[in-house]
Amino acid sequence: MRQWGLRHERVVPWSVAAVCPAPADGGSHDAWRALAWTLKAAENAGRPAETLLAALPARSDIATVRAHLHRYLQPVAAAGVLPWLPANPTAVPADYARHLDTTETLVQQRQLDLTTTAFAERPAWLAGLGTAPVTDAKQYTAWRQHVAVVAAFRDQHQITIDDPARPLGAYIPAEHAGHRAYLTAANAVLAARHPHTPGLDSTTARLAADLYLALPDSRRDTITDAVAQRLGADWLGPHHGDADTLITAPMYATALHTELIQRGHLHAAPIPEPTSPATPPPLIAETVPGRQMVCDPPMREQAQPQRGIDITW
């Protein structure tokens, strides 16, 4: 192996070499080096190479691995003034940039007014976002932000239904322009209802979504219906068909992952057996005239007689 290969073997996980070994010829060294460091960067960001490469067969070629990683390591686009809108472009003329900044300020003020009005008037849809966690300042701030997202969605899409069971109104199908906004607002609804429930990590969620989408239509419909039945009021969409983009969205990642495991499509990671705490040494009771004393046993090193010293207990 060449010198660069020896250097990179010290920092790149062994799973990289197992799936995509360094090429024997000299034509792909740069490509393999870039791939190896991409995986190393992913591990540094908290995405283990073993998880990213789990769906690939052994000894895949570089092109296959790079295409696989391209879906998982794409940078997340910065959100705009509303989470379903893109961020304002930076390389624009000064007058256009001022116009965008003014528009963003107006949208922020509108969202603040909507949120303030919702808390003052207490519409029925607000009850559909659960109870505010008033005992924790950080969770309360996050809950208010979720309310602000839902209020902005309702205002932009002119939702007039005031129903706690349907705070977002009717489901917006995937072929409509507001579908992405609906998914974002649905995520805010569930996060507001369950502020103490941790989400699934993004890598595992993406793997579960890809596996689900690769299943036949009939199995996907069965899984979607089972998840919807189990979640009850927390399911904010149809039970089949167009629900593919909904069930693979972040807010349902945990439910989908659990359902796939229960049906044998995925295997849960083994949970280590809890270790029993070490049994403390027994106490030694010594009888003294007139009273009883309980003391710890002597330390092991004290109990061992040393040369020239005679210790008696």
Side-chain angles (χ1 to χ4, degrees):
M1 185 178 290
R2 297 188 179 185
Q3 212 41 43
W4 70 262
L6 291 175
R7 281 201 308 275
H8 285 68
E9 280 295 333
R10 298 192 184 100
V11 293
V12 177
W14 284 108
S15 54
V16 179
V19 173
C20 185
D25 61 340
S28 304
H29 286 153
D30 291 340
W32 193 89
R33 181 191 292 116
L35 172 63
W37 280 108
T38 300
L39 280 167
K40 180 59 181 173
E43 284 214 326
N44 292 343
R47 296 183 174 184
E50 291 81 0
T51 301
L52 289 172
L53 302 175
L56 284 170
R59 306 189 68 82
S60 298
D61 60 90
I62 292 178
T64 301
V65 178
R66 292 181 68 181
H68 175 72
L69 292 178
H70 180 71
R71 297 178 298 164
Y72 292 95
L73 300 181
Q74 289 182 11
V76 179
V81 61
L82 296 175
W84 54 84
L85 298 178
N88 288 342
T90 54
V92 295
D95 56 343
Y96 186 44
R98 286 193 296 271
H99 169 71
L100 291 176
D101 291 341
T102 300
T103 303
E104 186 171 287
T105 301
L106 293 174
V107 172
Q108 289 174 337
Q109 184 59 51
R110 174 63 175 169
Q111 186 179 31
L112 178 61
D113 292 343
L114 291 169
T115 307
T116 303
T117 301
F119 284 124
E121 298 180 356
R122 312 297 296 182
W125 66 261
L126 184 60
L129 273 63
T131 305
V134 294
T135 58
D136 188 301
K138 184 180 294 186
Q139 289 184 352
Y140 180 72
T141 301
W143 187 82
R144 283 185 62 96
Q145 183 57 36
H146 298 321
V147 174
V149 168
V150 175
F153 171 84
R154 290 177 58 89
D155 183 65
Q156 182 183 9
H157 294 273
Q158 297 298 293
I159 306 300
T160 58
I161 299 175
D162 192 17
D163 184 357
R166 294 190 297 166
L168 304 180
Y171 175 74
I172 300 180
E175 64 269 16
H176 288 70
H179 183 67
R180 181 183 177 188
Y182 183 91
L183 294 181
T184 304
N187 188 71
V189 170
L190 295 185
R193 290 178 178 177
H194 310 286
H196 305 289
T197 303
L200 199 65
D201 68 273
S202 59
T203 302
T204 305
R206 185 58 187 269
L207 287 171
D210 282 354
L211 177 57
Y212 165 84
L213 293 174
L215 295 173
D217 292 349
S218 58
R219 291 191 182 182
R220 294 205 309 275
D221 286 346
T222 300
I223 290 174
T224 300
D225 187 62
V227 170
Q229 294 290 345
R230 187 168 74 249
L231 293 179
D234 281 344
W235 180 254
L236 303 174
H239 287 208
H240 52 78
D242 190 68
D244 279 355
T245 55
L246 182 65
I247 196 172
T248 54
M251 63 276 196
Y252 293 125
T254 301
L256 175 60
H257 185 254
T258 302
E259 188 68 23
L260 290 173
I261 290 176
Q262 291 178 350
R263 294 179 178 272
H265 298 297
L266 275 176
H267 298 286
I271 301 175
E273 299 241 347
T275 56
S276 301
T279 304
L283 298 178
I284 298 177
E286 296 184 358
T287 303
V288 179
R291 60 179 177 172
Q292 186 179 37
M293 297 177 59
V294 178
C295 63
D296 292 331
M299 293 185 297
R300 180 176 299 178
E301 56 269 20
Q302 289 180 336
Q304 301 299 324
Q306 303 179 26
R307 181 175 299 177
I309 302 178
D310 186 15
I311 300 178
T312 305
W313 298 99

